């Protein structure tokens, strides 16, 4: 990922965009944070929020005219937040002590004329930047006119506090200055490096200000420049009337322009963030209750009323993707931060463990993009990063190796098969169930195939293999190309017939990578052939759509059409169809981050009390793995033999999934085509006795029965094993690929009892010893 790519990714996440209150305020006061503090009655914290951006806080906090209220999001569902009353409630509490920050001295002298809100704000900002500031006040004392104007709102103590702070910063005051003298501006420019005019307390006609068509003085916001070079002005009346906040903001912008001028920078450069602006932040109002403003007394709010009013604040955020995605929630941030973390990992540290976990844990399901107002596709970012890591040799083998080995099994001779229907030399169709439906319910695959053969003319071929989805999800582009090439070779050997696809993931992979292959979803075919059902289940079933059908409305509707016609009542989950959730298998999440994958499916299973209905074998099995009763839609029409209650069928587990695939192929070859299956490898003859307490450990550690058989077979053949002197248990190891497997066992009858097994990813020189 290049820097430009990162910028583009970051720009699409709007979580850090300003809420409407901050964006609409000329001073960008953080109303959201203020409400949070006020709701908790943390008045010191509320003060700190105001002090960050509000000048003359003790004064302006009492006279703020709240121009942000018109944009308050709460106003769309009730009354807007009374932010001005909350500010007033806040500054009625004692100002927290703050240690004055050191101010660097700058050898520039600036003049401020008039102690209006604009002038006092400009003076304070310039003093804090280290300038020498002299305030020329035509009256006998600073802010005398303001004291009188706001006498009913602002106590003298507040004015004294603010003026005392300016004095401590080094403000020089020239009282009773002759500001009406015609030559005063020349004199000020002769003696200072720049001038700011606070025209909210001066006669605007007396100064060199630009005039609008109506003759009113204007200055270009936010530069606040006048017609005289080096002279800036603020505090002009706004068309809607005088606004204290606007006056103070103009003083701030004028001070910023003077600061830039003193540093030799164009005052108007990069000022787009000054003043009110639009925001791209999105905040959902779904489910938000309409609430009126809390009534205020003549003196404003007391603490309790202020806290109640502040609690009405929506605390505007987006986080639409984080709300629905346990993966995004799990890593504690949001896509913009993740994009930065991924960029740093890819470009700087090259493989930090935490970042690798973030990259490889995404299910690539696309729900984030579906709910994001800006279409941020975390799955595209993670997949592209995985591909880059693989290309650079930076992908940790532990991330996806187990799934990739399983894919290789499905592409190997024990499962791969491509044949025309028995008795046919050509195929009008080709049934392709994928690899996971045979792994979950091999008898069902056979039943469906026999139904298709009996229902469709011209011959229905059968093909068993893997579509390459694990390689695609793992970013293994070369491995994916190899798998697809092998698949295509078999398909073309059968005459390239149209496919009947049972697995939604295969449908998705082929549409992306083999668009030339004509395919139909099994459920569209079953709608035409008619699927037999003896009686629909009692009660409704909660429909779970696999995430690979998110944008495949036809597939979703095809399944609903067939089961609905058969009389099955369905409950639609809140997150269904285009907003459906992943089961935790997609994107190899369950391989890269098993705890998170379990959390994902557990959360999904808890969204309805009803039995679930899935039409992806992995989704069904993963629901079953957390104890959720779940049916595959095929269970309704082709019930598994020997299963009185298919919804209670357990997850077969990793080893059984392989065994089911191998047995399906062998059985089909023997029964339908009269052929013998490939000879079983010698180690597969080893008989194992696995106690109930050991089986879950093997599943959790992803140790296959075949791995254990290899270890014991090699140990017994070579005699390379250790014996514990007290228990009599043997301990042996074998390294079939990058992982070394260790098995503790004892001979028992014609087989071997397994006491424990574990694996380590390590390089063992010579014979592996514990």
């Amino acid at each position: 990922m290049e820097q430009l790519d990162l910028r583009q990714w970051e720009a699409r996440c709007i979580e850090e965009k300003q809420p409407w209150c901050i964006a609409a305020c000329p001073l960008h006061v953080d109303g959201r944070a203020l409400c949070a503090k006020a709701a908790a009655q943390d008045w010191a914290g509320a003060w700190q929020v105001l002090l960050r951006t509000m000048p003359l806080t003790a004064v302006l906090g009492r006279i703020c005219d709240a121009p942000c209220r018109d944009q308050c999001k709460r106003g769309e569902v009730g009354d807007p937040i009374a932010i001005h009353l909350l500010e007033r409630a806040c500054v009625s509490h004692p100002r927290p002590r703050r240690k004055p920050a050191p101010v660097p001295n700058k050898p520039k002298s600036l003049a401020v004329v008039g102690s209006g809100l604009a002038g006092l704000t400009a003076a304070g900002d310039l003093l804090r930047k280290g300038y020498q500031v002299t305030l020329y006040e035509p009256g006998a004392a600073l802010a005398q006119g303001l004291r009188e104007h706001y006498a009913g709102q602002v106590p003298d103590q507040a004015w004294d506090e603010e003026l005392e702070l300016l004095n401590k910063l080094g403000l020089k005051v020239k009282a009773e200055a002759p500001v009406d003298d015609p030559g005063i501006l020349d004199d000020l420019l002769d003696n200072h490096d720049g001038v700011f005019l606070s025209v909210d307390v001066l006669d605007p006609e007396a100064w060199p200000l630009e005039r609008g068509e109506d003759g009113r003085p204007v200055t270009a916001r936010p530069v606040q420049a006048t017609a005289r070079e080096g002279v800036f002005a603020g505090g002009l009346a706004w068309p809607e009337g005088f606004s204290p906040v606007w006056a103070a903001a103009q003083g701030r912008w004028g001070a910023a322009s003077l600061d830039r001028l003193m540093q030799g920078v164009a005052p108007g450069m990069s000022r787009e963030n000054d003043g009110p602006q639009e925001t791209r932040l999105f905040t959902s109002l779904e489910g938000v209750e309409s609430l009126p403003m809390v009534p205020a007394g003549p003196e404003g709010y007391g603490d309790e009323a202020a806290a109640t009013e502040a609690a009405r604040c929506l605390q505007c955020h987006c986080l639409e993707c984080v709300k629905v995605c346990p993966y995004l929630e799990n890593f504690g941030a949001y896509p913009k931060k993740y994009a930065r973390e991924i960029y740093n990992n890819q470009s700087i540290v090259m493989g930090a463990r935490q970042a690798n976990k973030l990259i490889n844990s995404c299910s690539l399901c696309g729900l984030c993009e579906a709910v994001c107002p800006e279409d941020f596709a975390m799955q595209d970012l993670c997949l592209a990063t995985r591909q880059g890591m693989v290309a650079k040799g930076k992908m940790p083998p532990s991330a996806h190796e187990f799934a990739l080995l399983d894919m290789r099994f499905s592409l190997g001779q024990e499962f791969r098969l491509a044949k025309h229907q028995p008795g046919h030399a050509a195929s009008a169709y080709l049934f392709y169930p994928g690899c996971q439906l045979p792994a979950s319910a091999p008898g069902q695959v056979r039943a469906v195939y026999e139904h298709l053969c009996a229902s469709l003319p011209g011959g229905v071929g059968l093909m068993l293999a893997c579509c390459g989805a694990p390689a695609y999800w793992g970013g293994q582009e070369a491995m994916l190309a190899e798998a697809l090439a092998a698949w295509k070779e078999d398909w073309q050997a059968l005459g390239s017939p149209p496919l009947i696809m049972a697995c939604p993931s295969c449908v998705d992979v082929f549409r992306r990578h083999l668009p030339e292959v004509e395919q139909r979803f099994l459920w569209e075919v079953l709608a035409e052939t008619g699927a037999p059902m003896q009686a629909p289940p009692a009660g409704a079933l909660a429909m779970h759509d696999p995430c690979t059908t998110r944008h495949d409305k036809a597939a979703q509707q095809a399944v609903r059409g067939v089961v609905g016609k058969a009389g099955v009542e369905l409950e639609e989950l809140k997150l269904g169809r285009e907003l459906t959730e992943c089961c935790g298998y997609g994107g190899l999440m369950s391989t890269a981050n098993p705890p998170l994958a379990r959390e994902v499916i557990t959360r999904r299973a808890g969204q309805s009390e009803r039995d679930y209905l899935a039409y992806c074998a992995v989704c069904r099995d993963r629901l079953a793995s957390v104890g959720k009763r779940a049916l595959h839609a095929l269970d309704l029409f082709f019930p598994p033999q020997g299963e009185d209650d298919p919804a209670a069928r357990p997850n077969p587990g990793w080893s059984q999934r392989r065994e089911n695939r191998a047995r399906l192929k062998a059985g089909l070859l023997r029964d339908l085509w009269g052929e013998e299956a490939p000879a079983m490898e010698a180690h597969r003859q080893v008989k194992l006795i696995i106690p109930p307490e050991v089986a879950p450990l093997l599943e959790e550690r992803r140790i296959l029965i075949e791995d254990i058989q290899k270890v014991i077979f090699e140990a017994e053949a070579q005699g390379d094993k250790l014996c514990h002197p007290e228990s009599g248990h043997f301990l042996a190891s074998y390294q079939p690929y990058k992982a070394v497997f260790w098995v503790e066992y004892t001979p028992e009858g014609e087989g071997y009892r397994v006491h424990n097994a574990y694996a380590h990813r390590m390089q063992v020189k010579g014979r592996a010893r514990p």
Side-chain angles (χ1 to χ4, degrees):
M1 187 195 306
E2 303 296 333
Q3 274 275 355
L4 179 59
D5 299 325
L6 172 65
R7 297 283 179 263
Q8 291 174 344
W9 278 111
E10 288 184 320
R12 297 179 73 175
C13 179
I14 56 177
E15 168 55 21
E16 293 182 3
K17 296 299 178 186
Q18 293 177 334
W20 285 263
C21 54
I22 299 178
C25 175
L27 292 165
H28 298 315
V29 171
D30 190 345
R32 180 177 63 186
L34 176 69
C35 286
K37 298 294 184 183
Q41 298 198 39
D42 176 6
W43 301 113
W47 255 102
Q48 298 291 356
V49 171
L50 293 179
L51 287 169
R52 284 202 292 267
T53 52
M54 180 181 280
L56 308 169
T57 312
V59 172
L60 205 53
R62 288 178 164 89
I63 61 176
C64 172
D65 51 316
C68 65
R69 288 197 78 203
D70 290 342
Q71 301 298 318
C72 176
K73 201 68 177 173
R74 167 47 90 178
E76 298 179 28
V77 275
D79 294 325
I81 297 296
I83 192 71
H84 56 306
L85 296 178
L86 296 179
E87 293 168 346
R88 186 174 172 183
C90 170
V91 299
S92 67
H93 289 78
R95 180 194 296 261
R97 292 180 177 272
R98 297 183 84 186
K99 186 177 180 180
V103 177
N105 292 321
K106 294 178 180 175
K108 297 286 185 180
S109 173
L110 300 172
V112 174
V113 182
S115 57
L117 291 170
L120 292 172
T121 299
D125 284 6
L126 291 169
L127 287 165
R128 290 184 182 88
K129 292 180 182 295
Y131 293 105
Q132 301 168 40
V133 179
T134 302
L135 198 155
Y136 292 83
E137 166 57 40
L142 294 183
Q144 191 57 42
L146 293 174
R147 284 180 188 260
E148 294 170 1
H149 183 78
Y150 294 110
Q153 295 173 257
V154 183
D156 284 341
Q157 180 185 354
W159 287 109
D160 294 341
E161 283 180 11
E162 296 299 339
L163 296 178
E164 178 61 21
L165 288 173
L166 294 178
N167 288 333
K168 288 182 177 178
L169 288 169
L171 180 66
K172 297 177 183 177
V173 178
K174 297 286 188 181
E176 298 183 335
V179 298
D180 295 331
D181 284 0
I184 189 170
L185 198 53
D186 293 332
D187 292 341
L188 291 173
L189 289 172
D190 286 342
N191 293 293
H192 300 282
D193 297 291
V195 176
F196 180 82
L197 305 175
S198 182
V199 291
D200 48 335
V201 291
L202 300 174
D203 177 9
E205 302 296 330
W207 303 94
L209 301 174
E210 295 280 358
R211 308 286 162 179
E213 293 181 356
D214 58 357
R216 293 164 61 90
V218 296
T219 56
R221 178 167 67 87
V223 180
Q224 304 302 126
T226 70
R228 183 75 178 267
E229 185 177 356
V231 179
F232 299 83
L236 294 166
W238 209 245
E240 293 80 12
F242 182 76
S243 162
V245 174
W246 274 102
Q250 290 173 5
R252 171 152 294 169
W253 300 334
S257 296
L258 275 167
D259 179 42
R260 286 164 173 261
L261 187 65
M262 296 303 104
Q263 298 185 59
V265 179
M269 182 180 291
S270 301
R271 299 294 296 273
E272 59 272 11
N273 291 328
D274 286 347
Q277 53 199 256
E278 298 293 325
T279 180
R280 289 167 50 213
L281 184 68
F282 173 83
T283 294
S284 174
L285 299 179
E286 182 181 357
V288 175
E289 181 185 2
S290 177
L291 293 173
M293 174 185 143
V294 174
E299 300 300 322
Y301 286 137
D303 287 355
E304 291 291 337
T308 304
E309 173 65 6
R312 289 199 311 122
C313 174
L314 300 178
Q315 291 294 301
C316 293
H317 285 277
C318 178
L319 297 176
E320 290 299 296
C321 56
V322 179
K323 293 175 188 173
V324 297
C325 176
Y327 155 70
L328 293 173
E329 182 184 24
N330 181 266
F331 288 89
Y334 41 86
K336 182 174 184 176
K337 287 193 172 183
Y338 296 149
R340 169 66 63 176
E341 189 173 339
I342 289 172
Y343 170 78
N344 289 340
N345 179 69
Q346 192 178 26
S347 306
I348 302 173
V349 296
M350 301 297 287
R353 186 179 181 281
Q354 178 62 21
N356 288 339
K357 201 79 167 178
L358 168 67
I359 295 163
N360 288 319
S361 295
C362 176
S363 68
L364 310 181
C365 77
L367 179 57
C368 53
E369 183 183 15
V371 300
C372 175
E374 302 282 333
D375 300 329
F376 191 109
M378 193 72 191
Q379 75 278 13
D380 290 348
L381 175 59
C382 287
L383 180 59
T385 306
R386 293 180 194 180
Q387 291 168 345
M389 292 170 68
V390 171
K392 294 178 181 177
K394 296 295 182 182
M395 176 63 77
S398 58
H400 305 134
E401 187 177 44
F402 184 82
L404 296 175
L405 288 170
D406 194 60
M407 183 189 79
R408 287 203 178 279
F409 174 85
S410 292
L411 292 170
Q413 66 170 357
E414 290 192 79
F415 181 61
R416 185 176 170 186
L417 178 147
K419 285 189 170 292
H420 293 301
Q421 181 179 334
H424 289 69
S427 296
Y429 302 95
L430 179 65
F431 179 44
Y432 184 65
C435 61
Q436 294 304 327
L437 182 61
S440 174
Q444 213 160 54
V445 172
R446 183 166 180 158
V448 172
Y449 181 56
E450 290 173 347
H451 168 80
L452 294 175
C453 289
S455 304
L456 298 174
V460 180
L462 177 66
M463 192 164 167
L464 302 177
C466 176
C467 67
Y472 169 58
W473 290 333
Q476 301 278 354
E477 294 180 283
M479 199 179 295
L480 172 63
E482 180 185 350
L484 292 175
W487 186 94
K488 196 170 179 180
E489 182 180 348
D490 288 348
W491 173 63
Q492 289 174 333
L494 294 177
S496 306
L499 297 186
I500 298 174
M501 309 281 283
C503 172
S505 295
C506 296
V507 171
D508 183 58
V509 170
F510 284 1
R511 281 179 179 166
R512 291 175 186 270
H513 301 284
L514 294 177
E516 68 274 23
V517 176
E518 180 183 349
Q519 56 171 286
R520 296 188 70 191
F521 195 35
L522 172 63
W523 293 93
E524 296 171 342
V525 177
L526 292 178
E528 298 171 2
T529 62
M533 180 191 288
Q534 294 181 348
L541 301 173
M543 175 60 89
H544 166 81
D545 295 290
C547 60
T548 45
T549 67
R550 183 177 314 287
H551 304 296
D552 193 347
K553 293 182 180 178
Q556 296 168 358
Q557 195 52 44
V559 178
R560 286 168 171 79
V562 173
V563 301
K565 186 177 180 180
V568 178
E569 183 183 352
L570 295 178
E571 173 194 284
E572 295 292 347
L573 295 173
K574 182 180 180 182
L575 291 177
R577 296 183 183 265
E578 68 275 14
L579 297 181
T580 190
E581 294 181 284
C582 179
C583 68
Y585 179 77
L588 305 183
M589 175 191 280
S590 61
T591 307
N593 195 335
L596 177 60
R598 186 170 182 83
E599 177 187 338
V600 166
I601 192 59
T602 300
R603 189 162 114 169
R604 182 62 167 173
Q607 293 177 5
S608 174
E609 294 295 325
R610 298 185 185 278
D611 291 359
Y612 276 33
L613 183 67
Y615 48 101
C616 166
V618 173
C619 291
R620 193 223 77 86
D621 290 346
R622 287 194 53 76
L623 286 164
S625 72
V626 294
K628 183 65 181 178
R629 288 175 54 82
L631 290 162
H632 191 291
L634 289 173
D635 293 340
L636 300 173
F637 304 95
F638 307 93
Q641 291 184 352
E643 296 284 352
D644 295 334
D645 184 6
R649 183 160 51 97
N651 178 18
W654 297 113
S655 293
Q656 190 60 48
R657 301 183 84 82
R658 282 202 184 185
E659 188 70 18
N660 286 344
R661 277 174 277 179
R663 289 189 177 184
L664 173 65
K665 176 181 177 180
L668 289 172
L669 282 176
R670 182 185 62 247
D671 300 339
L672 300 187
W673 286 280
E675 299 178 13
E676 289 297 324
M680 188 181 296
E681 295 176 87
H683 66 264
R684 298 288 298 275
Q685 307 291 341
V686 174
K687 295 181 179 178
L688 301 179
I689 302 164
I690 299 178
E693 67 273 17
V694 175
L697 291 177
L698 302 181
E699 186 72 9
E700 180 183 340
R701 296 168 181 172
R702 284 177 282 183
I703 296 174
L704 301 176
I705 297 297
E706 186 178 359
D707 296 327
I708 296 175
Q709 289 172 321
K710 287 178 180 176
V711 173
I712 297 178
F713 178 82
E714 288 295 324
E716 294 298 312
Q718 304 297 330
D720 189 15
K721 55 188 178 183
L722 301 173
C723 181
H724 195 282
E726 297 179 1
S727 66
H729 293 179
F730 291 124
L731 181 65
S733 67
Y734 183 64
Q735 186 172 9
Y737 42 94
K738 293 181 180 178
V740 177
F741 292 88
W742 303 86
V743 178
E744 181 182 346
Y745 68 99
T746 49
E748 184 172 311
E750 297 180 352
Y752 300 90
R753 176 174 290 274
V754 177
H755 302 287
N756 195 6
Y758 46 93
H760 294 298
R761 194 169 302 280
M762 59 197 305
Q763 292 292 328
V764 181
K765 295 182 179 179
R767 287 294 183 185
R769 296 287 186 186

